[in-house]
Amino acid sequence: MTSSDLLFDSRPGANPDRSRLRNRKAVLGQINSAGQMGRAAIARSLGLSTQAVSNIIADLEAEGLLIERGAQSAGRGLPAVQYAVNPEGGFALGVEIRPDVLLTSLVDLGGRPRATRRKVLTDLAPDKIVNQVLQLRDQMLRECGVKPDRLLGAGIVMPGPFGATGLSGQASDLPGWQTIDVPALFSEALERAVVVSNDANAAAMAERFGAAQGLTDYAFLYFGAGLGLGLVHHGQLVEGTFGNAGEIGNLPVMTKHGLKPLEQMVSRVSAQSALAAHGPLDIDALDRLCDVADPDLMRWLETACDALGQALGVIENLFDPQTVILGGAMPALILDHLAQGTPLPKLSVSNRPDATLPRLQCGTSGRMTATFGAAALILNRAFTTQTTAL
Amino acid sequence: MTSSDLLFDSRPGANPDRSRLRNRKAVLGQINSAGQMGRAAIARSLGLSTQAVSNIIADLEAEGLLIERGAQSAGRGLPAVQYAVNPEGGFALGVEIRPDVLLTSLVDLGGRPRATRRKVLTDLAPDKIVNQVLQLRDQMLRECGVKPDRLLGAGIVMPGPFGATGLSGQASDLPGWQTIDVPALFSEALERAVVVSNDANAAAMAERFGAAQGLTDYAFLYFGAGLGLGLVHHGQLVEGTFGNAGEIGNLPVMTKHGLKPLEQMVSRVSAQSALAAHGPLDIDALDRLCDVADPDLMRWLETACDALGQALGVIENLFDPQTVILGGAMPALILDHLAQGTPLPKLSVSNRPDATLPRLQCGTSGRMTATFGAAALILNRAFTTQTTAL
DNA sequence: TTTAATAACTCAACTTACTTGAATATTAAA
DNA sequence: TTTAATATTCAAGTAAGTTGAGTTATTAAA
């Protein structure tokens, strides 16, 4: 069994092969979310015998997916030999296709980005983009000295919503891609497992190696051009029937000027238009304005926080998440302001006197979070078993 | 292995025992959602060998969980012997505890209610209620001639939200139950598997044997005293960190009189208060008013439909469900009016030209849907494997 | 009508991966 | 120093799914 076999295969029926695969993922996932662990502790947490875990660890270590971390004494008894995920054990390619630009990343098994590329797009034709991706993949693999066979797969992020919906036909759509079988296209070209999702979902997955490490139920509010929501339930994305769950941009919120769509109050575009007097502003310009506490920006922040608070109430009451994470293509300073300044709704199931996690917090992977998240979609496949229920 | 072993045990690690259990559930679940199936077809759908399915079917049939339905020819080749779930094979107890009344049901493995009981509560003390439940269980088992060992488990429905939250302290709370370990309480008394959830979640599960048969992703809007939402993702409930997901009652909706909480516009209580001039109205009285198209009720319906349409937009855009189902303690006529009269939001990911399912429809299990659903929580355990991911 | 193709199903032997129980090593507490 | 607790490995045992050959029933073509 090679490491790329770790991905996919999730038919409902269990047989020795698939059980083995499942257990390997469970062991890796457990170690990943705990940082490091010993055989016996893993066995207990998974409900397996230590012998079984021992065998699996031997395999995973031989394949380079795990590394020994020495023994750690914890009270009476023989100290347990600790194992951790070997970041060098595998890599995932992250691809984010936007109407204007192609972003790629190479992320290691530890969730750390090792290389990134940014390429302005002039031709959106699928085969052109596939070729660019192949080139960028090779560049990044070479740059990092990674052997191609260590590449587990690729995650592709594309603008949603997918298919013909009441929200389609927006500026974010990629012309010429509507009728394409995207997973097949990339999977054939890359000869690897491929997962496709939207930016908010990918960003949510990226946080499994950041703010959401060890969490199983959380939401991610993603700032792209607009605003998207990524939902994680039991460690898996809630993508919806057609992959369009989390379209929160049109959520109506109350403002001084009546009801407005959320993303008209809370998004990069909304900030930019509130600051139109300053001329065209990119993210860095916004960052500088925030740094000097520009009054126009502060006013926008106030209205944004208010709107965000309303959205937070809806998200919390509908999902009851462990936490809600903010991130995306916004200056970290502004995200901080939002996370700190947003009024936490009182009428919420998350308004608990005994809460241990913050109800709203910032993500850890910065502006490229969706591009890294694209890769995290694949990494998640190595750490968990997908469940095709019913 | 006895049939009650079918429930629970869902540790992450796979071993022969658990794989067997998993496969048994998968076979049962597949047959249940398809109605009837042959060995080979099941094997294909689950990714198992026909031999494995054959062995499992032999066991399940011997245990009385499956019944043969004769051979069915489909093209060339030996006709496949069809199997269906034997409704008599197992039963689940449904218990709904409200502040004023105790409702119970006995539901067979086919999802059909076989007996119900309703008992006005004067004493809410946990031990008193447990005793009542034991009595009602025995009554119902006797009435239906069901042997006690055919009882798989019990689902308990209680008013949410659970734990101390910003929404707690409402009228629906059960005094004296806040600090109780409810699953343990009933599980010890009944000596059976016990699942606890809220009314909306239970109602959602009830529809797996009704309007949502064969569906894996849908939402259920439940009319109780207020309004609740049950979310089903990949055939499993999305209950949230503390079991409080789906608290949609406080969702702000726009009305002629400004923003109002959804359940102030769409709920039995809201209908009753809109019709206060008619004096106190129970569900049957509402039904009669609807039947004669009472103008006050029609006016209420109009505002309710408008509010419901807004909520529907939020649900659809956040979850992208296959369908949204309406049900609960409301007259069927009113539910029909709501399902028909609610404006389907245009700005929605569910607004698809090629949609095959209705975006909004009525459930099939009537007023007792939460009580039946309580039992369905258990039945669902017999047909699917829970996944404790990460 | 005969024959070939197709598909479902069973039997018996085989394989795989987990479990069990005994043995050993290491640490902390008595 | 002794005892209890815990981690780990080894070797044998077990359970469940797979494989491949053979049987039976049905459709479609010769």
Side-chain angles (χ1 to χ4, degrees), chain B residues 200-275:
Chain B
N201 288 334
M205 276 296 130
E207 292 301 336
R208 297 207 69 172
F209 301 90
Q213 187 170 28
L215 301 188
T216 59
D217 292 86
Y218 61 95
F220 189 104
L221 270 167
Y222 178 81
F223 287 81
L227 190 67
L229 181 69
L231 294 169
V232 178
H233 176 238
H234 291 354
Q236 299 291 341
L237 284 172
V238 177
E239 301 195 272
T241 312
F242 298 97
N244 290 331
E247 280 291 337
I248 203 175
N250 282 292
L251 183 81
V253 291
M254 198 50 168
T255 74
K256 268 189 292 192
H257 309 291
L259 283 185
K260 298 279 181 189
L262 177 63
E263 69 186 3
Q264 205 164 306
M265 310 305 296
V266 190
S267 67
R268 199 177 66 239
V269 171
S270 96
Q272 287 162 333
S273 71
L275 300 168

Side-chain angles (χ1 to χ4, degrees), chain A residues 13-14 18-19 23 46-47 162 166 208 234 241-242 244-247 317-322 348 351-352 387 389-390, chain B residues 13-14 18-19 23 46-47 162 166 208 234 241-242 244-247 317-322 348 351-352 387 389-390:
Chain A
R18 295 202 277 267
S19 293
N23 287 342
L46 299 181
F162 301 117
R208 297 207 69 173
H234 292 354
T241 312
F242 298 98
N244 289 331
E247 281 291 338
N317 283 325
L318 290 194
F319 288 105
D320 190 13
Q322 293 171 286
S348 163
N351 178 15
R352 304 188 145 251
T387 51
L390 201 115
Chain B
R18 295 201 276 267
S19 293
N23 286 342
L46 300 181
F162 301 116
R208 297 207 69 172
H234 291 354
T241 312
F242 298 97
N244 290 331
E247 280 291 337
N317 282 326
L318 290 193
F319 287 106
D320 191 12
Q322 293 171 286
S348 164
N351 179 15
R352 303 188 144 252
T387 52
L390 200 118

Side-chain angles (χ1 to χ4, degrees), chain B residues 57-142:
Chain B
I57 283 187
D59 283 4
L60 292 174
E61 196 183 10
E63 290 170 29
L65 295 172
L66 286 181
I67 39 177
E68 201 187 306
R69 273 285 170 76
Q72 195 172 65
S73 144
R76 209 181 270 198
L78 182 66
V81 178
Q82 303 292 303
Y83 286 87
V85 170
N86 180 7
E88 309 290 329
F91 294 81
L93 180 66
V95 177
E96 185 180 2
I97 309 173
R98 295 193 200 157
D100 55 332
V101 67
L102 176 67
L103 297 158
T104 64
S105 65
L106 188 66
V107 179
D108 69 29
L109 201 54
R112 262 171 298 278
R114 303 285 283 262
T116 61
R117 288 288 187 283
R118 181 192 169 89
K119 194 140 184 128
V120 174
L121 286 176
T122 48
D123 189 346
L124 288 174
D127 57 325
K128 293 281 161 53
I129 291 191
V130 166
N131 278 332
Q132 302 248 32
V133 167
L134 289 175
Q135 271 183 32
L136 295 170
R137 174 199 63 181
D138 295 338
Q139 280 181 24
M140 292 192 298
L141 287 175
R142 222 175 305 125

